Amino acid sequence: MRPIERIGIIGNGAVGMLMASFLAEEYTVTLYGRNGEHGDVTIERVGVTSGTARVVSKPIHLLDETEADVFFVTTKAHHVEAATERLTGNVPVFICANGIAHLDYAERRGFQLGVVEHGVTRDGTTIRHSGLGRVRIGSLTGMEPLVFSASPLQIVWESDIRHVVVEKLFANAIINPITALCRVPNGMVGQPPCRDVALAIYKELTSLFDESVPYTYIESIIEKTSTNRSSMLRDIEAGRPTEVDAILTPLLKRAETRGVELTVIPLMQKLIIGASASC
């Protein structure tokens, strides 16, 4: 594969802008959005890291696969398919969406996977970097590992990216619905009575997957992101569609396939749908 010089980031939300602001220090970055501006955009980053970056912004309908050496897809899960319809997979594509609804799609299209662990929110072209983490990427097709320049973004290659995605799903399936319904920051999930609900969800999750995800991993995420407000909570507060169909709904289908009876997860799913409808 040719050296990485040009990076396309699909999704001009908080995560996309965070990645663009770091990667622009070493690479030529183009940021694509559904309603993206056409021209240069200056991103200001504040919080645990700070800085400014100038990147090229384009609307998604102008995406040309030959203009980048690698693409990162940072859209909401329900926008992934529309956002990647112009890509063939000839250039590496890493889908960094929440949940597992995109796994079959990624495998079918020859795309790869990524998990973003940083905390970030957006206000216009200013992003608040609220928590340091990693961007963990890996291949579903056996491609050779990619290496990126060192930065606080910390892009690392994972040999078993599926397991990483399942770990993130466990955290999202527990933290997102509880914080969204109780209207609390992530740290409250570690305290009673939210912790009791978290443990009940965790017990049902372990019955659905062969992979082992220790509850200490969930606790570490709660602690690291204790002051954060989850994406599902922010979506409900803003009256936007949530990612319930990417995070919780596939779990119900998985339970049906495996013949596993669930109680708590279906209830959380219905409550989130109801909360979204009332916004």
Side-chain angles (χ1 to χ4, degrees):
M1 179 180 171
R2 59 175 293 172
I4 299 171
E5 298 176 351
R6 307 164 302 162
I7 296 177
I9 298 178
I10 303 174
N12 58 358
V15 172
M17 283 192 168
L18 178 73
M19 293 186 67
S21 72
F22 281 117
L23 291 170
E25 296 175 4
E26 298 289 340
Y27 304 95
T28 300
V29 174
T30 303
L31 187 62
Y32 298 92
R34 286 183 301 159
N35 302 307
E37 298 179 29
H38 195 181
D40 290 349
V41 171
T42 299
I43 301 170
E44 181 180 4
R45 190 179 67 250
V46 299
V48 294
T49 64
S50 61
T52 58
R54 196 159 183 82
V55 302
V56 175
S57 175
K58 290 185 178 181
I60 190 68
H61 69 269
L62 294 181
L63 185 149
D64 182 343
E65 188 175 49
T66 65
E67 293 180 347
D69 303 312
V70 62
F71 287 93
F72 290 99
V73 182
T74 65
T75 64
K76 294 285 189 179
H78 45 275
H79 293 146
V80 164
E81 294 193 24
T84 56
E85 62 184 2
R86 300 173 67 88
L87 300 175
T88 66
N90 290 334
V91 175
V93 178
F94 293 89
I95 300 178
C96 304
N98 284 328
I100 57 171
H102 61 286
L103 290 188
D104 289 343
Y105 173 74
E107 196 157 26
R108 187 169 68 251
R109 295 292 309 277
F111 297 158
Q112 319 304 332
L113 301 176
V115 168
V116 179
E117 297 178 336
H118 293 264
V120 60
T121 56
R122 172 193 171 194
D123 182 8
T125 56
T126 299
I127 54 173
R128 176 164 294 278
H129 192 188
S130 57
L132 284 167
R134 297 168 293 177
V135 177
R136 305 166 74 183
I137 62 174
S139 176
L140 294 173
T141 62
M143 68 178 287
E144 290 296 313
L146 299 184
V147 178
F148 294 83
S149 298
S151 81
L153 197 58
Q154 199 177 165
I155 302 177
V156 297
W157 187 269
E158 297 282 354
S159 60
D160 188 356
I161 191 62
R162 280 184 179 274
H163 181 71
V164 174
V165 169
V166 171
E167 282 185 332
K168 181 70 180 297
L169 172 66
F170 268 59
N172 283 335
I174 291 169
I175 296 171
N176 274 269
I178 293 174
T179 55
L181 292 170
C182 296
R183 307 294 177 102
V184 295
N186 292 2
M188 294 302 294
V189 178
Q191 305 296 323
C194 294
R195 188 173 189 274
D196 299 330
V197 181
L199 288 169
I201 296 173
Y202 174 76
K203 183 177 180 180
E204 292 192 346
L205 287 169
T206 59
S207 70
L208 297 178
F209 293 90
D210 298 326
E211 293 90 341
S212 174
V213 179
Y215 193 74
T216 51
Y217 170 78
I218 310 301
E219 291 177 317
S220 72
I221 299 298
I222 293 170
E223 183 178 351
K224 288 177 183 177
T225 64
S226 61
T227 61
N228 292 4
R229 298 176 73 78
S230 74
S231 59
M232 192 171 285
L233 170 57
R234 286 184 274 113
D235 284 341
I236 284 182
E237 289 177 330
R240 296 188 297 258
T242 71
E243 292 184 292
V244 65
D245 285 337
I247 297 173
L248 295 183
T249 303
L251 299 175
L252 307 187
K253 297 177 182 177
R254 191 177 184 90
E256 184 177 355
T257 300
R258 290 195 162 206
V260 175
E261 186 173 345
L262 302 177
T263 302
V264 183
I265 293 174
L267 176 61
M268 301 300 280
Q269 186 237 20
K270 288 181 175 64
L271 289 173
I272 290 295
I273 292 173
S276 301
S278 66
C279 293

